[in-house]
Amino acid sequence: MNRKILVLPAVVGLLAPVLAACGGSDSGSSSGDAIAVGTTDRFTATKDAPAPLDPAYAYDVGTWNILRQTVQTLMIQPKGEGDPVPEAAQSCGFTDSGNERYACKLRDGLKFANGDKITAADVKYSIDRALALKADSGVFALLSTIDTVETQGDNEVIFHLKTADATFPYKLSTPVAGIVNPDDYEKNKLRDGFDVDGSGPYTVQTEVKNDEIVKATFTKNPNYKGTLKVKNSKVDMISYPDAAAMGKALDKGDIDVMTRTMSPAQIQKLSDSTDNDEDLVEMSGLEIRYLAFNTNAPSVKSKAVRQAMAQLINRGEIVSKVYGTQAEPLYSLVPASITGHSNSFFNKYGEPSNAKAKALLTAANITTPIKLTLHYTTDHYGSATKKEFEILQKQLNDSGLFDATIEGSPWATFRPAEQKGKYDVYGMGWFPDFPDADNYLAPFLDKDNFLGSPYHNSKISNTLIPASRREADRIAASPDLTAIQDIVANDVPVLPLWQGKQYVAARDDVTGTAYALNSSSTLQLWELSRGVSG
């Protein structure tokens, strides 16, 4: 039979899978052959990005999904969602009323996979290293509220923060805060290539061709001590050039599980299928897609141009023609299911209108049609991205106000070019580092933002973001979060498009798929095992 596993609406702290029919449970053997997992994520080392898997550099969902299996963090997001819980730590918590001093005690007997003992000094080394290297990926900014890291003996680490940060426990659950061995990771240099060493639930060996991982083999780490129950002994992650090739591998039995990114057509076919051998798992997701702007570029430097684009783009048409029920229009950087969300773009622009867009440009004395190129990545977010950008191009050009072209590039060249400001307008996706509104705002709008955007609003960075972080009760932070979203809708440094669900397809004898991905698109390979076909 075809089975779906649905997740309750993604309200933070309330997420929990609801299983229909059989399968997807925690049962299953930890023995047997390796479970083969397919992905279209590409893991490439280039001249511009020679250290894709160094925790101090990596900052995309694909590389993080390798690091989350192998590099341990003090905190971790729990299986059923909610607030982060201790992982390498035995306990962690704020020790002051102002949320500016955060202390962690390490779990007894922690070791790296090679048997070396882990001490508080290793934690300090790892955090200080990421901050000092200040990699151009921008991932270090997740730790930007840290002032100093103090150790007390071998087992206690104290973080002194520059300012209150109620989201700090979440940040300690991200790979940039991963604990690394000083013997393997130099203090002043990123670790090039694809070697990863840590104390997580697995060790990893990579098969590399042409400076790209084609297969990563995760083997259960016998020295692992943490909260996770590892339900298999080995997982092979195999990278495919596209969704079609990955789908064929599942059909042939070459892989057991198919993860991101499946095409909309594949998902629909699996959803409609009565095939007894393959199951589709549907989960709530917090992925968003958006257009980003180099606000210093002549073509889009005028706010009126960006506002006109916001007034013209028809999100509903994009969703219906490309993604169907697998996505929904998004009118803010913050997804609708996250506390603090506001429909700021809809509130300001309403329904798409050529007349209103023309009035915006006329008032700013902008000559039309405006020539610009929309850039997108051909391989990072799935094959549907091209069709999405063809529709965006048509919407802009049909208005008569724009003369837009589109250009696609592989992620290995797209991301460095975007970081260097070579694109005026470009499409990006965001898979949250942690499920909080702050992580949909600060990474784009604070200083050292991961886009390298020249846009800066002092009220956002100096007042509103710090104020929102002082509120441990995230509902109480909503007024500040809404104010940020309203400014973004007015200035349009980024233009949100849609938010999507996420899916896993698996052969019938694989269990644990209900938890294979969490709401932040974290791949949890340790949940997979083999059971009895249902």
Side-chain angles (χ1 to χ4, degrees):
M1 64 182 169
N2 177 258
R3 296 174 291 179
K4 291 183 182 178
I5 299 175
L6 302 178
V7 180
L8 292 173
V11 179
V12 175
L14 297 180
L15 285 176
V18 177
L19 308 187
C22 50
S25 70
D26 289 344
S27 62
S29 170
S30 61
S31 60
D33 297 335
I35 295 174
V37 176
T39 180
T40 60
D41 283 326
R42 318 294 294 201
F43 309 99
T44 306
T46 66
K47 181 180 179 181
D48 290 320
L53 296 182
D54 190 318
Y57 177 85
Y59 203 13
D60 66 78
V61 68
T63 53
W64 270 25
N65 276 335
I66 289 180
L67 293 176
R68 288 188 190 273
Q69 321 304 314
T70 52
V71 178
Q72 200 174 17
T73 48
L74 290 171
M75 303 290 285
I76 194 170
Q77 293 179 45
K79 180 176 178 177
E81 303 300 331
D83 294 336
V85 296
E87 165 61 355
Q90 175 181 308
S91 63
C92 283
F94 286 105
T95 60
D96 66 331
S97 59
N99 291 343
E100 294 182 358
R101 186 181 188 273
Y102 195 79
C104 293
K105 290 185 178 179
L106 299 186
R107 190 178 295 273
D108 290 337
L110 281 180
K111 295 179 180 179
F112 290 109
N114 67 0
D116 290 352
K117 181 182 177 181
I118 295 175
T119 69
D122 296 316
V123 177
K124 174 177 169 58
Y125 177 90
S126 303
I127 299 293
D128 287 346
R129 175 179 181 269
L131 286 168
L133 284 170
K134 205 171 184 178
D136 60 13
S137 65
V139 70
F140 69 92
L142 280 171
L143 306 175
S144 62
T145 55
I146 295 175
D147 185 16
T148 59
V149 184
E150 176 191 353
T151 62
Q152 290 190 358
D154 284 346
N155 293 315
E156 187 169 6
V157 185
I158 300 171
F159 298 93
H160 299 277
L161 307 184
K162 300 173 185 176
T163 184
D165 186 0
T167 69
F168 190 66
Y170 280 109
K171 293 170 181 177
L172 288 183
S173 73
T174 62
V176 68
I179 306 168
V180 299
N181 192 331
D183 291 343
D184 298 319
Y185 292 82
E186 294 182 41
K187 183 178 181 179
N188 300 313
K189 182 181 183 299
L190 290 170
R191 185 178 183 179
D192 293 353
F194 300 106
D195 290 332
V196 183
D197 293 280
S199 56
Y202 296 98
T203 60
V204 65
Q205 292 293 322
T206 57
E207 182 179 326
V208 178
K209 292 183 180 178
N210 300 320
D211 294 320
E212 184 172 346
I213 294 177
V214 294
K215 183 169 78 172
T217 297
F218 297 93
T219 303
K220 188 175 180 179
N221 174 13
N223 286 323
Y224 168 70
K225 286 197 174 184
T227 60
L228 303 175
K229 181 180 178 182
V230 183
K231 299 176 183 177
N232 55 69
S233 57
K234 185 177 290 187
V235 177
D236 288 334
M237 182 190 290
I238 303 166
S239 179
Y240 289 92
D242 53 45
M246 181 171 62
K248 289 179 182 177
L250 183 70
D251 292 341
K252 290 168 59 181
D254 292 341
I255 59 175
D256 302 296
V257 181
M258 183 163 64
T259 60
R260 60 179 308 273
T261 303
M262 289 180 267
S263 70
Q266 277 180 323
I267 294 168
Q268 190 62 52
K269 181 179 178 181
L270 285 163
S271 180
D272 295 339
S273 174
T274 57
D275 191 324
N276 290 330
D277 297 326
E278 297 174 0
D279 300 336
L280 179 67
V281 184
E282 179 186 297
M283 309 168 189
S284 292
L286 298 177
E287 167 192 5
I288 69 168
R289 298 288 175 84
Y290 60 95
L291 291 178
F293 298 93
N294 176 356
T295 53
N296 281 345
S299 66
V300 293
K301 187 171 185 177
S302 170
K303 180 169 65 176
V305 173
R306 306 192 301 271
Q307 289 178 328
M309 293 177 68
Q311 185 66 72
L312 287 171
I313 287 174
N314 186 331
R315 296 165 176 83
E317 182 184 28
I318 295 169
V319 168
S320 64
K321 289 186 176 180
V322 183
Y323 301 102
T325 59
Q326 300 154 29
E328 58 187 43
L330 179 64
Y331 296 93
S332 169
L333 280 173
V334 180
S337 50
I338 292 288
T339 299
H341 162 81
S342 173
N343 282 318
S344 296
F345 274 80
F346 189 83
N347 294 341
K348 181 169 179 62
Y349 300 100
E351 297 294 340
S353 169
N354 286 10
K356 290 181 179 178
K358 184 176 181 179
L360 286 166
L361 296 172
T362 300
N365 296 316
I366 303 294
T367 302
T368 60
I370 301 161
K371 288 190 175 184
L372 52 81
T373 300
L374 309 179
H375 294 266
Y376 66 94
T377 173
T378 56
D379 59 352
H380 195 63
Y381 302 121
S383 57
T385 306
K386 181 180 179 181
K387 184 177 180 182
E388 176 182 342
F389 271 71
E390 289 172 345
I391 293 173
L392 282 168
Q393 177 190 24
K394 188 174 188 300
Q395 289 178 356
L396 293 174
N397 290 348
D398 283 355
S399 72
L401 303 174
F402 288 87
D403 179 8
T405 58
I406 60 174
E407 183 176 314
S409 305
W411 182 253
T413 55
F414 175 91
R415 177 64 169 145
E418 169 269 310
Q419 289 175 305
K420 294 176 181 177
K422 293 184 177 180
Y423 300 153
D424 295 6
V425 189
Y426 53 99
M428 291 284 284
W430 183 251
F431 301 83
D433 308 322
F434 51 88
D436 186 275
D438 179 86
N439 193 242
Y440 289 91
L441 299 172
F444 303 92
L445 305 169
D446 213 350
K447 65 178 183 178
D448 297 322
N449 65 82
F450 97 105
L451 291 174
S453 171
Y455 173 79
H456 179 256
N457 182 289
S458 59
K459 184 177 181 181
I460 289 176
S461 58
N462 297 338
T463 303
L464 294 173
I465 289 178
S468 71
R469 288 173 173 168
R470 283 193 288 270
E471 297 290 351
D473 179 354
R474 302 312 285 158
I475 294 177
S478 291
D480 294 316
L481 297 170
T482 297
I484 295 172
Q485 292 166 82
D486 289 345
I487 293 172
V488 171
N490 183 71
D491 292 355
V492 200
V494 289
L495 177 53
L497 298 173
W498 56 266
Q499 71 178 85
K501 300 174 184 176
Q502 55 185 1
Y503 299 84
V504 170
R507 300 198 67 80
D508 199 49
D509 64 340
V510 176
T511 65
T513 49
Y515 293 105
L517 287 173
N518 71 9
S519 63
S520 300
S521 296
T522 296
L523 193 58
Q524 302 177 143
L525 296 179
W526 53 85
E527 295 290 346
L528 299 175
S529 62
R530 294 191 189 278
V532 178
S533 176

